[in-house]
Amino acid sequence: MTDFAARYARAQSDRRHPISASFADLQRFDLDPFQVEGCNALEDGRSVLVAAPTGAGKTIVGEFAIHLAMREPGDKAFYTTPMKALSNQKFRELQEVYGEDEVGLLTGDTNINGNARVVVMTTEVLRNMLYADSPALRGLRYVVMDEVHYLADRFRGPVWEEVILHLPPAVRLVSLSATVSNAEEFGDWLDTVRGDTAVIVSETRPVPLEQHVLVRGDLLPLFDDRAGVATAQVNQELTRIRSPKGATYENNRRASEYRSRSDREGRRPHRGGSRPVRPSTAARIERMDRPQVVELLGRSNLLPAIFFIFSRVGCEAAVQQVRRSGVRLTDTAERDEIRAIIDERLRPLQDEDLSVLGYWEWRENLERGVASHHAGMLPAFKEVVEELFRRKLVKVVFATETLALGINMPARTVVLEKLEKFNGEARVAITSGEYTQLTGRAGRRGIDVEGHAVVQWTEALDPQAVAALASRRTYPLNSSFRPTYNMAVNLIDQFGRERAREILESSFAQFQADRAVVGLARQVKDAEASLAGYEKSMTCDRGDFAEYSGIRRELSDAEKLNRADRTAPARIRQQRQNEIQSLRRRMQRHPCHSCPDRENHARWAERYWKLRRRTDRTRRDIETRTGTVARIFDRIIDVLAELNYVSFDDGAASLTAAGRTMRRIYGERDLLVAESLRRGLWANLDPAGLAALACCLVYEPRRDEAGEYRLPRGPFRDALTKTQELWSRLDDLEQEHHLPGTEPLATGLSQAMNSWARGASLDVVLSEADLAAGDFVRWTKQTIDLLDQLSIVADADVAVTARKALDAVRRGIVAYSSV
């Protein structure tokens, strides 16, 4: 398309979509084609699915939906995220655009201006609002679901599908996803359940990504520039480094000279073809230590940088290593600004708590321009690191992969020290999707001409494997949806059992299973045609060859079993011998046995039976996939009926009083919580004891955590024993109904939570918990979520205790929020 034609087409589009055009004029950058397409679709009244790489600017489409809502008095827009940190960040951004009065925040433990026209929230909050038919839903016109690929998350993914299925039909949905390989399939499902949905896929990064391998002091390009990334043609110099063949003295000399010259001149990485480097075996190439890598990136003008290290301990050790080396990346003015921001953000925290948290050393590291970022950190500390990095005051962050999950914290360079991580059981290679998500942080739009991904050389590194990771940019989005007890009672209450089954059968999980069934059914149809051909080819004019071949197969199986199991008792072996003799006589007497073309027929018969077995397995697979979600729902209803949460009148299901209580209990242990309340197991607990027991219900111990733990004294132990016994009975009941059940209660944090609720100091509690401050805060906030539910649904006495427990737990670093 010529430049004139492109301008004409853009002008025509602007005339058809004046609101999109005026919104685009307000942005700092010219909108990319996929952003324009998404905004235009929304202006046309359609829902949209936008799948684009990390950092491509998907959220612009979501922000346009909010812009549309704010144009009409009384209209509302919700912006949902998978994590509270993302909600907090988006809340601040939208406040800057629309003002504090128009923007609210709901994250379970935070409620700010919840009746505003624009509300940022976690997806769980919106799900709960839908089931409660909250008045806040009135006037809702747009829902933005950021990071919708979280739908695949095993634990939290089902919430996304619940929201998508239950939103009022008039609400337009804006789904923002990382690049997934089956975006069209997901879009087809959205179109089915939400109506007209535009699917917009972009594979283009707004800031190109240069891929490098760091070998000693050289940043070598991963790909041969002459071939390009699309062909995944690996730089031949990297291949020669891995294999010592062809090494020459000249290569050694030229590589050494180049490194010395690069260090003196502070050059950027070479972007042409390969450059000389000393060919050697991987074992002889020493890794640069972290301070050296930081200094190299600084000389090459490649800071700020994020180093992804797949362990918290590794992140903290890296910061200490850089600190001990004396590296300082800030000047006097920057250090003054860093101190001012830290003082402003952390003023509410008490000095005694700060000393426990290692505040002064952390602060000094920030003043040097270096920080770590991981889930074990106090949320307030992480937020300060994020802000300083965005302001270009902190230049190097050592982070775990949680940083890659949508937080707006782009860098010029991303460094991967290893391409494998510990998944809780073993060290496994990262996937192409994870590689893309991590390196997607490299390249700041409007600041960088290009982003840089750097993989450090290791003995085991295979350049071809790295190239495969870097060139495959997509991964499939698969549903993790499954019905829960809470979901079941809410669906029955709102729609009745039959309509509830229909809703569940329209889930993305069933949609994908049904699509798989279509493919399997096609396989069966093709197999049946082949079976008919095989059957024709084995036809014998002397008799039924299918019957004859069946006897032969039965005889062959019996003989194999007899040979394999020689340790069977003599009586059993004699029975088998008799059976074998009987089959031989039947085979020899069969008319087909004397056919001169018998063995030719037998070859076709063997193919027939082999394909027949495979086809029968496929048919069984189809039966297990069809209606899978609804069958699980039926089993859940059977359990609820047996426990009297659901009753039946002329076949119609309705909720009992206990079932109506369960509607407002959310979480993995919804049934156990509801049943414990109904049986009064927690009636004698004081606030600290109830907080400790609630913690046992939400806490998930580390895989390596084992052993006996101190337990709070008094009524807690009796309540815990009764709750554990109840869990065991419910687990047996779920097993009987072929449901997966839940893990046993985890008591590892109960003593620390009890102490915290009784007013113990932070250092005492962290010592008892044997947890990092960030982990303790995270589990405490989950405990708060459950206590908040108990304060609403429990009977009067337990509800009062829950409210007192909330007040006792929500203090100090737990209560603090920078929002």
Side-chain angles (χ1 to χ4, degrees):
M1 183 182 287
T2 66
D3 185 53
F4 172 78
R7 291 204 309 272
Y8 178 77
R10 179 65 180 269
Q12 289 291 93
S13 174
D14 288 352
R15 277 196 292 273
R16 289 193 302 270
H17 301 96
I19 305 175
S20 299
S22 63
F23 175 77
D25 291 339
L26 299 174
Q27 306 309 310
R28 293 184 297 131
F29 312 109
D30 289 339
L31 296 191
D32 292 332
F34 84 90
Q35 295 169 323
V36 173
E37 188 180 353
C39 293
N40 289 350
L42 283 171
E43 190 172 349
D44 290 339
R46 308 175 71 190
S47 292
V48 294
L49 165 64
V50 180
T54 301
K58 297 183 290 289
T59 56
I60 283 288
V61 182
E63 289 163 10
F64 179 67
I66 295 171
H67 178 77
L68 288 174
M70 296 301 285
R71 287 171 53 85
E72 300 295 331
D75 281 3
K76 289 183 178 181
F78 289 169
Y79 196 108
T80 73
T81 75
M83 295 184 295
K84 293 177 183 178
L86 285 177
S87 294
N88 294 342
Q89 189 175 86
K90 202 66 196 177
F91 171 66
R92 289 190 289 265
E93 291 173 4
L94 292 172
Q95 275 190 324
E96 292 175 4
V97 177
Y98 297 106
E100 293 185 3
D101 293 340
E102 298 286 10
V103 183
L105 176 68
L106 296 172
T107 60
D109 60 330
T110 303
N111 185 337
I112 301 173
N113 200 16
N115 292 316
R117 292 181 59 195
V118 180
V119 185
V120 183
M121 61 185 67
T122 53
T123 319
E124 284 84 355
V125 170
L126 178 53
R127 185 270 312 273
N128 298 351
M129 291 172 68
L130 288 167
Y131 280 149
D133 195 20
S134 169
L137 296 170
R138 293 179 194 134
L140 181 62
R141 294 292 174 266
Y142 297 93
V143 167
V144 182
M145 302 195 77
D146 202 354
E147 308 281 338
V148 76
H149 50 272
Y150 251 80
L151 183 141
D153 183 80
R154 178 183 161 201
F155 298 105
R156 301 180 58 204
V159 175
W160 269 255
E161 289 191 50
E162 287 183 78
V163 168
I164 292 168
L165 289 169
H166 297 317
L167 277 174
V171 174
R172 296 295 89 192
L173 187 66
V174 183
S175 304
L176 307 177
S177 171
T179 308
V180 293
S181 54
N182 60 334
E184 287 77 10
E185 178 189 42
F186 184 50
D188 286 348
W189 174 69
L190 288 173
D191 195 79
T192 301
V193 297
R194 300 296 317 162
D196 191 8
T197 300
V199 179
I200 299 161
V201 179
S202 173
E203 301 268 2
T204 306
R205 281 179 50 101
V207 180
L209 183 65
E210 293 291 320
Q211 310 266 358
H212 311 279
V213 178
L214 175 57
V215 186
R216 286 194 163 174
D218 285 340
L219 286 165
L220 298 181
L222 173 61
F223 294 103
D224 186 335
D225 286 1
R226 293 165 297 183
V229 176
T231 62
Q233 181 64 50
V234 175
N235 182 349
Q236 292 303 302
E237 195 64 45
L238 290 171
T239 306
R240 285 194 289 271
I241 292 170
R242 185 167 175 81
S243 172
K245 293 180 180 178
T248 64
Y249 172 81
E250 180 65 9
N251 275 339
N252 288 330
R253 184 184 63 78
R254 289 169 63 197
S256 178
E257 286 178 358
Y258 183 87
R259 281 193 296 275
S260 298
R261 192 164 65 251
S262 296
D263 289 350
R264 288 195 304 271
E265 298 173 5
R267 289 189 177 184
R268 297 276 307 272
H270 177 64
R271 294 193 59 212
S274 60
R275 99 162 72 84
V277 70
R278 181 179 70 83
S280 175
T281 61
R284 291 175 59 193
I285 296 179
E286 297 177 2
R287 286 168 59 92
M288 296 177 69
D289 62 27
R290 287 164 180 145
Q292 289 177 310
V293 178
V294 170
E295 290 176 331
L296 171 64
L297 296 179
R299 290 194 305 272
S300 303
N301 195 27
L302 292 181
L303 297 179
I306 298 172
F307 287 66
F308 281 110
I309 301 173
F310 301 114
S311 92
R312 301 175 184 183
V313 173
C315 290
E316 295 293 346
V319 172
Q320 294 306 317
Q321 193 177 0
V322 173
R323 171 195 176 101
R324 286 194 299 270
S325 73
V327 169
R328 188 179 292 277
L329 305 173
T330 55
D331 57 30
T332 301
E334 288 174 326
R335 289 194 287 276
D336 289 341
E337 190 175 353
I338 289 169
R339 282 191 285 268
I341 291 172
I342 294 172
D343 291 341
E344 171 66 23
R345 295 288 180 268
L346 300 184
R347 186 178 296 117
L349 292 180
Q350 299 176 1
D351 288 345
E352 56 267 29
D353 288 346
L354 290 175
S355 61
V356 172
L357 297 169
Y359 167 79
W360 297 107
E361 185 176 303
W362 172 77
R363 178 186 178 115
E364 184 183 339
N365 292 332
L366 290 179
E367 290 177 21
R368 290 177 175 271
V370 181
S372 61
H373 189 289
H374 55 75
M377 292 173 62
L378 190 69
F381 282 23
K382 284 196 293 184
E383 289 164 8
V384 169
V385 170
E386 291 160 15
E387 180 174 353
L388 294 177
F389 193 79
R390 284 195 296 270
R391 293 194 183 198
K392 308 176 203 173
L393 297 170
V394 164
K395 313 296 172 65
V396 172
V397 169
F398 297 96
T400 56
E401 68 268 33
T402 55
L403 181 60
L405 299 175
I407 297 174
N408 180 24
M409 201 171 151
R412 176 165 293 175
T413 304
V414 162
V415 180
L416 300 179
E417 295 191 350
K418 294 180 179 178
L419 295 177
E420 62 177 21
K421 65 177 185 178
F422 186 68
N423 67 357
E425 296 178 352
R427 299 207 68 84
V428 296
I430 65 173
T431 65
S432 59
E434 289 168 332
Y435 182 91
T436 302
Q437 189 87 354
L438 296 169
T439 57
R441 293 283 135 209
R444 299 163 300 174
R445 190 167 186 169
I447 301 175
D448 299 321
V449 176
E450 61 200 12
H452 296 268
V454 177
V455 176
Q456 282 197 263
W457 185 274
T458 64
E459 293 182 22
L461 187 134
D462 179 359
Q464 293 289 353
V466 181
L469 284 175
S471 57
R472 284 199 303 268
R473 297 183 176 275
T474 59
Y475 51 95
L477 175 61
N478 293 314
S479 172
S480 59
F481 186 77
R482 64 192 186 281
T484 65
Y485 296 105
N486 171 271
M487 187 192 306
V489 294
N490 275 292
L491 288 174
I492 286 176
D493 187 52
Q494 291 191 27
F495 306 108
R497 181 172 185 172
E498 292 310 311
R499 175 69 181 127
R501 288 181 102 259
E502 292 175 9
I503 290 171
L504 293 174
E505 286 177 336
S506 56
S507 66
F508 186 45
Q510 193 59 57
F511 185 83
Q512 288 190 306
D514 289 344
R515 281 208 165 184
V517 164
V518 170
L520 292 172
R522 189 178 297 114
Q523 291 178 28
V524 169
K525 187 175 180 180
D526 294 343
E528 285 173 343
S530 298
L531 286 169
Y534 294 164
E535 198 166 8
K536 186 176 180 180
S537 297
M538 71 180 185
T539 300
C540 180
D541 58 3
R542 301 200 177 190
D544 184 350
F545 202 88
E547 181 183 67
Y548 174 72
S549 65
I551 297 171
R552 281 178 59 138
R553 291 193 61 79
E554 198 175 345
L555 174 60
S556 175
D557 291 342
E559 288 175 336
K560 285 179 183 176
L561 177 62
N562 195 48
R563 287 195 300 271
D565 187 12
R566 297 184 179 280
T567 60
R571 178 176 56 83
I572 300 297
R573 288 181 59 79
Q574 186 59 50
Q575 288 176 353
R576 290 175 182 166
Q577 288 290 350
N578 293 340
E579 181 184 0
I580 289 170
Q581 292 301 323
S582 174
L583 286 169
R584 281 180 182 156
R585 286 192 294 272
R586 284 179 59 198
M587 180 184 71
Q588 291 165 358
R589 291 171 185 167
H590 197 282
C592 293
H593 189 68
S594 59
C595 176
D597 207 17
R598 182 185 68 196
E599 292 311 309
N600 184 46
H601 294 329
R603 281 192 290 273
W604 284 107
E606 184 63 29
R607 295 175 189 173
Y608 174 87
W609 289 111
K610 192 173 182 179
L611 181 58
R612 178 72 176 269
R613 284 199 305 272
R614 192 162 66 238
T615 305
D616 288 344
R617 283 198 301 269
T618 304
R619 284 198 179 97
R620 288 194 296 272
D621 197 6
I622 289 173
E623 291 172 3
T624 60
R625 288 173 184 251
T626 305
T628 306
V629 177
R631 279 202 302 277
I632 295 172
F633 174 72
D634 289 338
R635 293 169 189 164
I636 285 174
I637 295 300
D638 290 343
V639 170
L640 291 172
E642 192 164 333
L643 294 172
N644 198 34
Y645 287 87
V646 173
S647 61
F648 294 93
D649 185 13
D650 293 331
S654 61
L655 301 185
T656 64
R660 287 190 290 275
T661 297
M662 186 184 280
R663 287 179 310 169
R664 294 173 291 175
I665 298 173
Y666 304 97
E668 289 287 314
R669 300 189 186 275
D670 45 10
L671 180 60
L672 179 60
V673 171
E675 195 68 358
S676 296
L677 290 177
R678 187 164 68 162
R679 295 171 183 242
L681 302 188
W682 306 336
N684 296 325
L685 291 173
D686 62 7
L690 185 58
L693 192 53
C695 181
C696 293
L697 292 165
V698 299
Y699 179 55
E700 296 173 15
R702 299 185 299 269
R703 290 178 182 272
D704 58 350
E705 195 174 311
E708 296 293 323
Y709 302 101
R710 284 182 56 204
L711 298 177
R713 298 182 180 278
F716 170 85
R717 296 189 179 187
D718 181 56
L720 174 65
T721 299
K722 290 178 179 177
T723 307
Q724 289 172 324
E725 290 171 351
L726 174 60
W727 169 84
S728 181
R729 289 195 295 273
L730 293 178
D731 190 62
D732 290 342
L733 181 61
E734 288 171 324
Q735 295 292 335
E736 289 172 15
H737 288 274
H738 306 289
L739 291 169
T742 58
E743 293 295 315
L745 276 67
T747 59
L749 199 53
S750 60
Q751 178 62 50
M753 191 60 64
N754 185 273
S755 298
W756 180 252
R758 294 186 186 281
S761 63
L762 180 62
D763 59 336
V764 168
V765 169
L766 292 183
S767 176
E768 287 182 340
D770 191 26
L771 284 179
D775 291 324
F776 177 72
V777 170
R778 184 171 74 256
W779 292 120
T780 303
K781 289 196 172 185
Q782 292 199 33
T783 301
I784 287 171
D785 285 346
L786 179 53
L787 290 171
D788 191 42
Q789 293 178 44
L790 297 179
S791 72
I792 297 170
V793 304
D795 61 33
D797 290 342
V798 175
V800 169
T801 304
R803 283 191 287 274
K804 291 179 180 178
L806 279 170
D807 293 337
V809 170
R810 195 186 281 130
R811 66 180 180 88
I813 63 170
V814 175
Y816 172 72
S817 172
S818 65
V819 174

